[in-house]
């Protein structure tokens, strides 16, 4: 057999084997017995290694393209999972807020204030509570936010009666001598406010002199000094 005939026979046999493999393999295979590495991921586990071993070389461009596709798929999957988790968290928080914001109310008569089904009260209702139950209402009250506390303090301040504003004293009027009314028998003059001038006591009836002195108005240092100077 010539060399040419042997080569022809070998090629025919290889083609037959490749054709048979292409028809019976559990993954796509080219006529030359090679495979596409991308197909190996879908191949049966029992023949996956064979598929990979037959895979044709992949260019750098193809590798980058495949990596980009896989990253995009992963990002999309992670974004969907994050959105689902966020939606679930928001729904749970909304449910908690709705429950806390509007608890079912039950009349607290004869206590005079409302009690929620969870046993809490509104501090603003405690002012309407019966005196015997006011402390109980306050102890069960829900914590106030900063805004609610400011509003509560403002309402309390508005409910406290304001002290009447006293008009400013007229200094000149206060310095004026009080109106004096003479008292018969005692020998000294007594002002309408019940006070006397110490100078009057020298003229007082001896029986009423001590009374006159006890009623005398305080003497300023200036007056004492002037009196002392006039006597010296």
């Amino acid at each position: 057999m010539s060399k040419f005939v042997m080569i022809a026979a070998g090629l025919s046999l290889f083609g037959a084997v490749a054709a048979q493999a292409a028809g019976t393999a559990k993954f796509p295979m080219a006529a030359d017995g090679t495979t596409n590495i991308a197909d190996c991921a879908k191949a049966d586990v029992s023949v996956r290694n064979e598929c990979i071993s037959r895979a044709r070389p992949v260019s750098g461009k193809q590798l980058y393209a495949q990596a980009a596709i896989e990253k995009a798929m992963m990002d999309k999957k992670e974004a969907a999972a994050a959105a689902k988790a966020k939606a679930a968290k928001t729904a749970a928080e909304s449910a908690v807020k709705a429950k806390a914001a509007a608890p079912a109310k039950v009349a607290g008569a004869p206590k005079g204030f409302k009690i929620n089904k969870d046993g809490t009260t509104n501090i603003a209702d405690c002012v309407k509570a019966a005196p015997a139950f006011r402390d109980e209402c306050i102890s069960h009250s829900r914590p106030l936010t900063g805004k609610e506390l400011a509003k509560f303090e403002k309402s309390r301040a508005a409910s406290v009666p304001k002290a009447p504003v006293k008009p400013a004293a007229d200094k000149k009027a206060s310095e004026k001598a009080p109106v004096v009314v003479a008292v018969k028998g005692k020998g000294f003059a007594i002002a309408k406010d019940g006070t006397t001038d110490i100078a009057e006591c020298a003229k007082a009836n001896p029986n009423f002199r001590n009374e006159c002195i006890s009623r005398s108005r305080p003497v300023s240092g200036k007056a004492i000094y002037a009196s002392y100077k006039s006597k010296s």
Side-chain angles (χ1 to χ4, degrees), residues 103-121 125 128 136:
K105 294 184 178 180
V106 180
K111 296 182 178 181
F113 57 90
K114 292 180 180 178
I115 304 173
N116 294 329
K117 284 187 177 180
D118 61 359
T120 62
T121 63
D125 291 336
K128 299 177 286 184
E136 179 186 347

Side-chain angles (χ1 to χ4, degrees), residues 1 33-34 44 48 120 153 176 212 220:
M1 186 181 291
T34 61
D44 188 82
R48 191 167 295 159
T120 62
E153 290 294 335
K176 294 178 182 178
C212 178
S220 65

Side-chain angles (χ1 to χ4, degrees), residues 100-106 111-129 133-145 148-149 151-152 155:
K105 294 184 178 180
V106 180
K111 296 182 178 181
F113 57 90
K114 292 180 180 178
I115 304 173
N116 294 329
K117 284 187 177 180
D118 61 359
T120 62
T121 63
N122 186 340
I123 190 69
D125 291 336
C126 297
V127 295
K128 299 177 286 184
F133 299 102
R134 193 161 291 157
D135 288 344
E136 179 186 347
C137 177
I138 293 170
S139 67
H140 282 82
S141 62
R142 293 182 295 280
L144 298 178
T145 63
E148 289 171 333
L149 184 59
K151 184 178 179 181
F152 178 67
S155 65

Side-chain angles (χ1 to χ4, degrees), residues 26-28 35-53 55 66 70 73:
K26 297 181 180 180
F27 48 83
T35 63
N36 185 344
I37 191 66
D39 293 331
C40 298
K42 299 176 284 184
D44 188 82
V45 176
S46 62
V47 293
R48 191 167 295 159
N49 287 341
E50 180 186 350
C51 177
I52 294 169
S53 68
Q66 183 63 28
E70 291 177 358
M73 291 177 64

Side-chain angles (χ1 to χ4, degrees), residues 53-87:
S53 68
R54 289 174 175 268
R56 292 183 292 277
V58 181
S59 67
K61 184 177 180 180
Q62 289 174 317
L63 285 174
Y64 281 122
Q66 183 63 28
I69 292 170
E70 291 177 358
K71 185 178 185 302
M73 291 177 64
M74 184 61 70
D75 290 346
K76 186 176 180 181
K77 187 177 179 180
E78 289 178 353
K84 186 177 179 181
K86 185 178 180 181

